[in-house]
Amino acid sequence: MTIEEDVAKLTAHVQTTLGNGPFLAAGGWHHMGAVICDAVLQQARHYRRWVRPRIEQLQESWPEADTVSRFRARVSGGELSAVLRTTHQRKLAAIAAIADLVAADGVETRDELRVWLKEDPHRSALLAVHSVGPKTVDYLGTLVGGSHVAVDVHLRAFARQAGVETTTYQGLRRVYERTADLLGHDRGGLEHAVWNYMSNGPK
């Protein structure tokens, strides 16, 4: 099975299941504390029920933590566990590590992080953070307004429905990207449309 054949299968499934769009990308966040925490908390969690309420609570409780440096200042006070309502130390450590990493390069805002993520060495540095994988890196880009495909369980299930045989993360991302390009959709918009469809439990 070639990638072209997988793209053809996914293209047909998108058109049959989702129609012709247009598909709008997820808006993400402008609050940098929310961006970093969302990227880490979304791993293996129910987003609408568990993650989003915590991210909204974070922004309500720490409205001033909208830049990386101000967010790090609040984290250093030891209150992050309480505001996120989690004691998961691995996730809390990953949040702090990501904030420290991007701050070391002077990244403060959503726009600066979006540009920073375009550099392969920066993506590699993120992947070196414990518990951060390629999906988290791609999703981080989505949260700051980039056009990324973060392949999660929903996108994998949709691809299986289409009969796509590629199963690796990088391979599936390429299939989705090429499908979006072929159909003239924003890559992030197609990803978000598939995610919405699958997360709402299609019959």
Side-chain angles (χ1 to χ4, degrees), residues 5-192:
E5 290 173 304
D6 276 342
V7 169
K9 288 181 177 181
L10 188 61
T11 296
H13 192 48
V14 166
Q15 292 176 311
T16 300
T17 308
L18 304 178
N20 296 317
F23 305 129
L24 301 178
W29 308 107
H30 290 271
H31 186 289
M32 291 303 290
V35 167
I36 296 169
C37 291
D38 191 334
V40 174
L41 292 186
Q42 54 80 29
Q43 302 165 3
R45 288 289 187 176
H46 189 287
Y47 188 82
R48 293 189 179 94
R49 185 173 62 240
W50 198 92
V51 179
R52 190 176 184 92
R54 284 164 169 77
I55 301 305
E56 291 172 343
Q57 177 63 43
L58 170 72
Q59 294 178 87
E60 189 175 315
S61 300
W62 293 1
E64 78 289 353
D66 57 344
T67 67
V68 173
S69 59
R70 289 196 285 262
F71 175 63
R72 291 176 72 229
R74 291 303 305 260
V75 170
S76 68
E79 303 169 352
L80 186 61
S81 177
V83 77
L84 291 180
R85 289 173 287 144
T86 181
T87 57
H88 198 302
Q89 293 305 308
R90 180 172 57 81
K91 291 184 183 297
L92 294 171
I95 289 168
I98 291 172
D100 290 346
L101 175 64
V102 300
D105 279 343
V107 172
E108 286 285 353
T109 67
R110 166 189 170 107
D111 290 343
E112 290 170 354
L113 181 55
R114 186 170 62 250
V115 172
W116 187 86
L117 284 167
K118 293 179 181 179
E119 301 292 332
D120 287 340
H122 297 158
R123 294 174 64 87
S124 296
L126 280 170
L127 289 170
V129 174
H130 184 58
S131 82
V132 172
K135 178 209 166 187
T136 299
V137 175
D138 287 330
Y139 182 58
L140 190 60
T142 296
L143 290 171
V144 292
S147 184
H148 296 268
V149 175
V151 180
D152 69 351
V153 293
H154 297 307
L155 270 72
R156 287 185 177 278
F158 189 83
R160 285 196 301 272
Q161 288 179 0
V164 171
E165 295 188 13
T166 300
T167 58
T168 66
Y169 182 90
Q170 301 293 348
L172 273 174
R173 184 174 66 185
R174 284 181 62 210
V175 170
Y176 271 101
E177 289 173 345
R178 290 179 65 169
T179 297
D181 295 347
L182 180 65
L183 291 172
H185 297 310
D186 176 82
R187 292 175 175 183
L190 176 60
E191 178 224 64
H192 194 52

